[in-house]
Amino acid sequence: MDNNTAIKVAITGAAGNIGYALAFRIASGAMLGAQPIALNLIEVKQAEKQLDGVLMELDDCAFPLLTNCLSTSNIEEGMADVDVAILVGAKPRSAGMERKDLLKDNGEIFKHQGQVLNAVASKDVKVLVVGNPANTNALIASHHAPNLAATQFSCMTRLDHNRALTMIAKKHNKAVGQIKKMTIWGNHSATQFPDPLHCEIDDTRIELDEDWMHQEFIPAVQQRGAKVIEARGASSAGSAANAIVNHIHDWLLGTPAGDWVSMGVVADGSYGITPGIVYSFPVTTNNGQWHIVQDLPLNDYERKMMVATEKELCEERAAVQHLLT
C-alpha cells in the first residue's frame, strides 16, 4: 500500500449496529494503521437520516487519517473505485423465516452488489462479505463479478475464530495472544467446525480435554451468536466490527509469522473440499493474497465434521443455483 494515498473503503449497512461500530474503528487507523482512509458509507434510502448522523459523528471525531467521507444510498456511487468493500448490509432472519427464505432474499441483494462491484470498483478490490448467509452470499457476489478474480472475495469467520481463541485461552489460564493456530472450517453457521486440535500455546501443542472439546467448546462456539442475542436482545455488533477489522488487517498487511487465521475463501480442492464453494479454511496471507494452509494431519473426527459443514454449503449452493447461471 502507498501510505500517501488514501485507501477507499466502502461499508454497506453503514448506519446499522455493526456498520456504526466499524466506521470509527476504520477511521481511527485500527484496521490499516497509519494509512489515510476515504470512507464511503452506503445505506438504503430508509436509513439516510441515520446515516447522516453517523457522518456528523465521524466529522466530530476529527480523525487525522480520514481524508474524505461520503454517505449515499446510491450503491454505484458508493462502490466507485473502492479498494476495499465490506458488505455488511443484508436482510436479517426474522421469526418464522427459514434459511432458504433468507438465502433467496439476500441472494438477490448480493447478486446486485457483485454486479456493481464488477462495473465500478477498483480492479484490485478486496471484498469481505459479512451479511448472512455469508459464505453463499460471497459465492453469489463473486459469480456476478466476472471481471474480478474469485480470490478477491472472502466471507467472515473471524468472529468465530476470535470466540474460539478466547475460550481456549480461558480454559488454559493464558492470554489470548499466547494462543496460535486456531481453525474454523466450513460454513458460518451452526455446522461450522471450530477445530482446536492444531492449537499451540507459546509454540507448544496444547493438551486438550476431549470431553470439554466435544461437550462444551464446539457447541459454545457454534451457538455463541444466539447466546449474544439472548443476552442483549440484539446480534453481535462490537465484536463483529472488531472481527472485520482483524480480517481486513491481516488480509492486506499479512498474518503473523508462525500463525494463521480463518477466512471463508473459494475452495480449490484442498482437503478434498468441493471446489468452488466458499468454505472457511486456515490461511496465511501476504501482499494482499491468501494461501490455504496445506497438509495439516486430520483425524477421522475432524474429517467427519468438515464434511458435515461442506454438505450444508453444497445444499445452499443448490438452493441458489438460479442465481448462479
mmCIF file with all atom_site columns, all heavy atoms in Angstrom, residues 76-88:
data_model
loop_
_atom_site.group_PDB
_atom_site.id
_atom_site.type_symbol
_atom_site.label_atom_id
_atom_site.label_alt_id
_atom_site.label_comp_id
_atom_site.label_asym_id
_atom_site.label_entity_id
_atom_site.label_seq_id
_atom_site.pdbx_PDB_ins_code
_atom_site.Cartn_x
_atom_site.Cartn_y
_atom_site.Cartn_z
_atom_site.occupancy
_atom_site.B_iso_or_equiv
_atom_site.pdbx_formal_charge
_atom_site.auth_seq_id
_atom_site.auth_comp_id
_atom_site.auth_asym_id
_atom_site.auth_atom_id
_atom_site.pdbx_PDB_model_num
ATOM 1  N N   . GLU A 1 76 ? -23.964 2.480  -6.721  1.00 0.00 ? 76 GLU A N   1
ATOM 2  C CA  . GLU A 1 76 ? -22.962 2.698  -7.767  1.00 0.00 ? 76 GLU A CA  1
ATOM 3  C C   . GLU A 1 76 ? -22.010 3.818  -7.360  1.00 0.00 ? 76 GLU A C   1
ATOM 4  O O   . GLU A 1 76 ? -20.788 3.713  -7.553  1.00 0.00 ? 76 GLU A O   1
ATOM 5  C CB  . GLU A 1 76 ? -23.641 3.041  -9.095  1.00 0.00 ? 76 GLU A CB  1
ATOM 6  C CG  . GLU A 1 76 ? -24.304 1.863  -9.788  1.00 0.00 ? 76 GLU A CG  1
ATOM 7  C CD  . GLU A 1 76 ? -25.676 1.523  -9.206  1.00 0.00 ? 76 GLU A CD  1
ATOM 8  O OE1 . GLU A 1 76 ? -26.186 2.309  -8.349  1.00 0.00 ? 76 GLU A OE1 1
ATOM 9  O OE2 . GLU A 1 76 ? -26.242 0.485  -9.595  1.00 0.00 ? 76 GLU A OE2 1
ATOM 10 N N   . GLU A 1 77 ? -22.548 4.876  -6.784  1.00 0.00 ? 77 GLU A N   1
ATOM 11 C CA  . GLU A 1 77 ? -21.703 5.965  -6.300  1.00 0.00 ? 77 GLU A CA  1
ATOM 12 C C   . GLU A 1 77 ? -20.814 5.484  -5.149  1.00 0.00 ? 77 GLU A C   1
ATOM 13 O O   . GLU A 1 77 ? -19.623 5.777  -5.094  1.00 0.00 ? 77 GLU A O   1
ATOM 14 C CB  . GLU A 1 77 ? -22.570 7.135  -5.828  1.00 0.00 ? 77 GLU A CB  1
ATOM 15 C CG  . GLU A 1 77 ? -21.786 8.312  -5.283  1.00 0.00 ? 77 GLU A CG  1
ATOM 16 C CD  . GLU A 1 77 ? -22.676 9.400  -4.700  1.00 0.00 ? 77 GLU A CD  1
ATOM 17 O OE1 . GLU A 1 77 ? -23.811 9.084  -4.278  1.00 0.00 ? 77 GLU A OE1 1
ATOM 18 O OE2 . GLU A 1 77 ? -22.220 10.561 -4.651  1.00 0.00 ? 77 GLU A OE2 1
ATOM 19 N N   . GLY A 1 78 ? -21.400 4.696  -4.253  1.00 0.00 ? 78 GLY A N   1
ATOM 20 C CA  . GLY A 1 78 ? -20.665 4.250  -3.076  1.00 0.00 ? 78 GLY A CA  1
ATOM 21 C C   . GLY A 1 78 ? -19.558 3.271  -3.378  1.00 0.00 ? 78 GLY A C   1
ATOM 22 O O   . GLY A 1 78 ? -18.565 3.196  -2.647  1.00 0.00 ? 78 GLY A O   1
ATOM 23 N N   . MET A 1 79 ? -19.690 2.493  -4.444  1.00 0.00 ? 79 MET A N   1
ATOM 24 C CA  . MET A 1 79 ? -18.691 1.480  -4.781  1.00 0.00 ? 79 MET A CA  1
ATOM 25 C C   . MET A 1 79 ? -17.679 1.963  -5.826  1.00 0.00 ? 79 MET A C   1
ATOM 26 O O   . MET A 1 79 ? -16.746 1.221  -6.148  1.00 0.00 ? 79 MET A O   1
ATOM 27 C CB  . MET A 1 79 ? -19.380 0.215  -5.310  1.00 0.00 ? 79 MET A CB  1
ATOM 28 C CG  . MET A 1 79 ? -20.185 -0.548 -4.277  1.00 0.00 ? 79 MET A CG  1
ATOM 29 S SD  . MET A 1 79 ? -19.131 -1.181 -2.932  1.00 0.00 ? 79 MET A SD  1
ATOM 30 C CE  . MET A 1 79 ? -20.374 -2.052 -1.955  1.00 0.00 ? 79 MET A CE  1
ATOM 31 N N   . ALA A 1 80 ? -17.825 3.161  -6.318  1.00 0.00 ? 80 ALA A N   1
ATOM 32 C CA  . ALA A 1 80 ? -16.950 3.641  -7.384  1.00 0.00 ? 80 ALA A CA  1
ATOM 33 C C   . ALA A 1 80 ? -15.494 3.684  -6.930  1.00 0.00 ? 80 ALA A C   1
ATOM 34 O O   . ALA A 1 80 ? -15.159 4.355  -5.943  1.00 0.00 ? 80 ALA A O   1
ATOM 35 C CB  . ALA A 1 80 ? -17.409 5.015  -7.849  1.00 0.00 ? 80 ALA A CB  1
ATOM 36 N N   . ASP A 1 81 ? -14.650 2.927  -7.613  1.00 0.00 ? 81 ASP A N   1
ATOM 37 C CA  . ASP A 1 81 ? -13.200 2.941  -7.407  1.00 0.00 ? 81 ASP A CA  1
ATOM 38 C C   . ASP A 1 81 ? -12.763 2.507  -6.010  1.00 0.00 ? 81 ASP A C   1
ATOM 39 O O   . ASP A 1 81 ? -11.643 2.819  -5.593  1.00 0.00 ? 81 ASP A O   1
ATOM 40 C CB  . ASP A 1 81 ? -12.624 4.334  -7.705  1.00 0.00 ? 81 ASP A CB  1
ATOM 41 C CG  . ASP A 1 81 ? -12.897 4.777  -9.129  1.00 0.00 ? 81 ASP A CG  1
ATOM 42 O OD1 . ASP A 1 81 ? -12.744 3.948  -10.050 1.00 0.00 ? 81 ASP A OD1 1
ATOM 43 O OD2 . ASP A 1 81 ? -13.291 5.946  -9.315  1.00 0.00 ? 81 ASP A OD2 1
ATOM 44 N N   . VAL A 1 82 ? -13.609 1.757  -5.294  1.00 0.00 ? 82 VAL A N   1
ATOM 45 C CA  . VAL A 1 82 ? -13.216 1.385  -3.928  1.00 0.00 ? 82 VAL A CA  1
ATOM 46 C C   . VAL A 1 82 ? -12.142 0.299  -3.957  1.00 0.00 ? 82 VAL A C   1
ATOM 47 O O   . VAL A 1 82 ? -12.101 -0.561 -4.843  1.00 0.00 ? 82 VAL A O   1
ATOM 48 C CB  . VAL A 1 82 ? -14.416 0.915  -3.069  1.00 0.00 ? 82 VAL A CB  1
ATOM 49 C CG1 . VAL A 1 82 ? -15.400 2.059  -2.866  1.00 0.00 ? 82 VAL A CG1 1
ATOM 50 C CG2 . VAL A 1 82 ? -15.094 -0.307 -3.645  1.00 0.00 ? 82 VAL A CG2 1
ATOM 51 N N   . ASP A 1 83 ? -11.258 0.366  -2.968  1.00 0.00 ? 83 ASP A N   1
ATOM 52 C CA  . ASP A 1 83 ? -10.183 -0.615 -2.813  1.00 0.00 ? 83 ASP A CA  1
ATOM 53 C C   . ASP A 1 83 ? -10.591 -1.763 -1.900  1.00 0.00 ? 83 ASP A C   1
ATOM 54 O O   . ASP A 1 83 ? -10.088 -2.881 -2.043  1.00 0.00 ? 83 ASP A O   1
ATOM 55 C CB  . ASP A 1 83 ? -8.943  0.064  -2.231  1.00 0.00 ? 83 ASP A CB  1
ATOM 56 C CG  . ASP A 1 83 ? -8.469  1.229  -3.076  1.00 0.00 ? 83 ASP A CG  1
ATOM 57 O OD1 . ASP A 1 83 ? -8.058  0.976  -4.220  1.00 0.00 ? 83 ASP A OD1 1
ATOM 58 O OD2 . ASP A 1 83 ? -8.520  2.380  -2.593  1.00 0.00 ? 83 ASP A OD2 1
ATOM 59 N N   . VAL A 1 84 ? -11.485 -1.475 -0.959  1.00 0.00 ? 84 VAL A N   1
ATOM 60 C CA  . VAL A 1 84 ? -11.994 -2.472 -0.019  1.00 0.00 ? 84 VAL A CA  1
ATOM 61 C C   . VAL A 1 84 ? -13.503 -2.281 0.079   1.00 0.00 ? 84 VAL A C   1
ATOM 62 O O   . VAL A 1 84 ? -13.967 -1.159 0.318   1.00 0.00 ? 84 VAL A O   1
ATOM 63 C CB  . VAL A 1 84 ? -11.363 -2.324 1.376   1.00 0.00 ? 84 VAL A CB  1
ATOM 64 C CG1 . VAL A 1 84 ? -11.970 -3.333 2.350   1.00 0.00 ? 84 VAL A CG1 1
ATOM 65 C CG2 . VAL A 1 84 ? -9.848  -2.488 1.327   1.00 0.00 ? 84 VAL A CG2 1
ATOM 66 N N   . ALA A 1 85 ? -14.257 -3.358 -0.110  1.00 0.00 ? 85 ALA A N   1
ATOM 67 C CA  . ALA A 1 85 ? -15.721 -3.312 0.040   1.00 0.00 ? 85 ALA A CA  1
ATOM 68 C C   . ALA A 1 85 ? -16.124 -4.274 1.143   1.00 0.00 ? 85 ALA A C   1
ATOM 69 O O   . ALA A 1 85 ? -15.828 -5.471 1.070   1.00 0.00 ? 85 ALA A O   1
ATOM 70 C CB  . ALA A 1 85 ? -16.406 -3.686 -1.270  1.00 0.00 ? 85 ALA A CB  1
ATOM 71 N N   . ILE A 1 86 ? -16.764 -3.744 2.166   1.00 0.00 ? 86 ILE A N   1
ATOM 72 C CA  . ILE A 1 86 ? -17.205 -4.545 3.306   1.00 0.00 ? 86 ILE A CA  1
ATOM 73 C C   . ILE A 1 86 ? -18.729 -4.607 3.250   1.00 0.00 ? 86 ILE A C   1
ATOM 74 O O   . ILE A 1 86 ? -19.413 -3.615 3.505   1.00 0.00 ? 86 ILE A O   1
ATOM 75 C CB  . ILE A 1 86 ? -16.715 -3.941 4.632   1.00 0.00 ? 86 ILE A CB  1
ATOM 76 C CG1 . ILE A 1 86 ? -15.184 -3.803 4.608   1.00 0.00 ? 86 ILE A CG1 1
ATOM 77 C CG2 . ILE A 1 86 ? -17.156 -4.801 5.813   1.00 0.00 ? 86 ILE A CG2 1
ATOM 78 C CD1 . ILE A 1 86 ? -14.618 -3.026 5.778   1.00 0.00 ? 86 ILE A CD1 1
ATOM 79 N N   . LEU A 1 87 ? -19.251 -5.784 2.895   1.00 0.00 ? 87 LEU A N   1
ATOM 80 C CA  . LEU A 1 87 ? -20.690 -5.935 2.627   1.00 0.00 ? 87 LEU A CA  1
ATOM 81 C C   . LEU A 1 87 ? -21.377 -6.453 3.878   1.00 0.00 ? 87 LEU A C   1
ATOM 82 O O   . LEU A 1 87 ? -21.502 -7.649 4.095   1.00 0.00 ? 87 LEU A O   1
ATOM 83 C CB  . LEU A 1 87 ? -20.892 -6.876 1.435   1.00 0.00 ? 87 LEU A CB  1
ATOM 84 C CG  . LEU A 1 87 ? -20.089 -6.539 0.177   1.00 0.00 ? 87 LEU A CG  1
ATOM 85 C CD1 . LEU A 1 87 ? -20.469 -7.473 -0.970  1.00 0.00 ? 87 LEU A CD1 1
ATOM 86 C CD2 . LEU A 1 87 ? -20.265 -5.079 -0.246  1.00 0.00 ? 87 LEU A CD2 1
ATOM 87 N N   . VAL A 1 88 ? -21.834 -5.500 4.683   1.00 0.00 ? 88 VAL A N   1
ATOM 88 C CA  . VAL A 1 88 ? -22.478 -5.819 5.961   1.00 0.00 ? 88 VAL A CA  1
ATOM 89 C C   . VAL A 1 88 ? -23.993 -5.878 5.804   1.00 0.00 ? 88 VAL A C   1
ATOM 90 O O   . VAL A 1 88 ? -24.659 -6.746 6.359   1.00 0.00 ? 88 VAL A O   1
ATOM 91 C CB  . VAL A 1 88 ? -22.103 -4.771 7.035   1.00 0.00 ? 88 VAL A CB  1
ATOM 92 C CG1 . VAL A 1 88 ? -22.803 -5.081 8.362   1.00 0.00 ? 88 VAL A CG1 1
ATOM 93 C CG2 . VAL A 1 88 ? -20.588 -4.705 7.231   1.00 0.00 ? 88 VAL A CG2 1
#
